[in-house]
Amino acid sequence: DEAIAVMAQVTAAIDRVKYRTSPWAGVQVGVATIFHGQLLTTIGRYDEAEAKLREGLAMVHRLRNSGIDPNVVGRRFRIGTIWAQMEYIALTGLARNLLRQNRLGEAEVAARAAVAGALTRFGRYSPYTAQALTGMARTLIQQGRFDEARRLGTAILEIFDRIGARPDAVLRTHTRSDLAAIDVVRGRWDAAARTFDALQADLRAAGSAAFGDTLRGDANYLLTLIKTG
């Protein structure tokens, strides 16, 4: 119910700005549309969500081809930078949406586009790139392409190390869990145990009081404990 109420507010926001002629009006409409798609994905309305996310991407492409100077500056950022962030959010959201629909090939295309855009606009050592790579890795895991997914997981952890991310950063924790899951699927119990040990060390280093709960809720961790004693 809360998500539906938020979506109603998003729709009202779109109606308020869609006829304005300011260069920023298109940005407002695009952001609202992409946000709408993200919310629809969250509540499982995948077809509607996909349509909104693709509509948001189309808006970004139209804005780039509209003749608006990408160097126009708002309160803090160039409008071209905002376009890049909109595209990134829409692509990562679309990849996640398609993955939930089990449309793995299409999810991979969207995830690769998100990674390419993040690398071009934000560089290798950026949280944006790490997040895009996380989506790509999960798409590969779903396809059973574990070697490729492991290489991406290692690259993601390197990015977090280089940018000084907290040891208990959510995506960092998820990446270690994903790497352990690959070892569990392959029956490499000692390797899985080492990965979970590293995850515990990260959480303890951050002083996370919930580190025990994080691992106890992971079925792969419990299975690894059973297999390794």
Side-chain angles (χ1 to χ4, degrees), residues 2 6 25 37 40 42 50 62 78 81 100 119 136 138 162 208 214 222 225 228:
E2 208 171 315
V6 171
L40 287 166
T42 299
E50 180 186 348
R62 285 199 296 273
R78 293 186 310 110
T81 300
R100 291 186 181 183
L119 286 169
M136 183 70 204
R138 291 191 164 176
R162 286 285 294 271
S208 175
T214 299
L222 298 176
L225 286 181
T228 60

Side-chain angles (χ1 to χ4, degrees), residues 5-106:
V6 171
M7 280 192 287
Q9 294 172 11
V10 169
T11 301
I14 292 172
D15 286 339
R16 281 197 298 273
V17 302
K18 67 183 179 182
Y19 297 115
R20 295 181 191 170
T21 57
S22 160
W24 293 95
V27 168
Q28 291 174 295
V29 174
V31 168
T33 300
I34 293 165
F35 182 45
H36 197 171
Q38 299 275 51
L39 281 172
L40 287 166
T41 295
T42 299
I43 62 174
R45 290 163 59 175
Y46 299 128
D47 289 344
E48 296 170 77
E50 180 186 348
K52 286 293 181 185
L53 291 167
R54 291 190 186 281
E55 182 182 349
L57 279 172
M59 287 181 183
V60 174
H61 296 155
R62 285 199 296 273
L63 287 167
R64 282 200 173 120
N65 294 319
S66 65
I68 297 172
D69 182 357
N71 294 307
V72 169
V73 179
R75 291 183 179 178
R76 293 181 59 193
F77 300 108
R78 293 186 310 110
I79 198 168
T81 300
I82 303 298
W83 295 341
Q85 291 173 327
M86 288 167 62
E87 182 179 51
Y88 166 82
I89 293 168
L91 282 169
T92 54
L94 182 60
R96 183 166 55 253
N97 175 290
L98 294 167
L99 190 60
R100 291 186 181 183
Q101 295 186 64
N102 204 36
R103 290 160 59 185
L104 303 182
E106 293 170 87

Side-chain angles (χ1 to χ4, degrees), residues 185-197:
V185 168
R186 292 176 152 183
R188 297 176 177 173
W189 304 109
D190 289 341
R194 287 193 295 273
T195 301
F196 280 123
D197 286 345

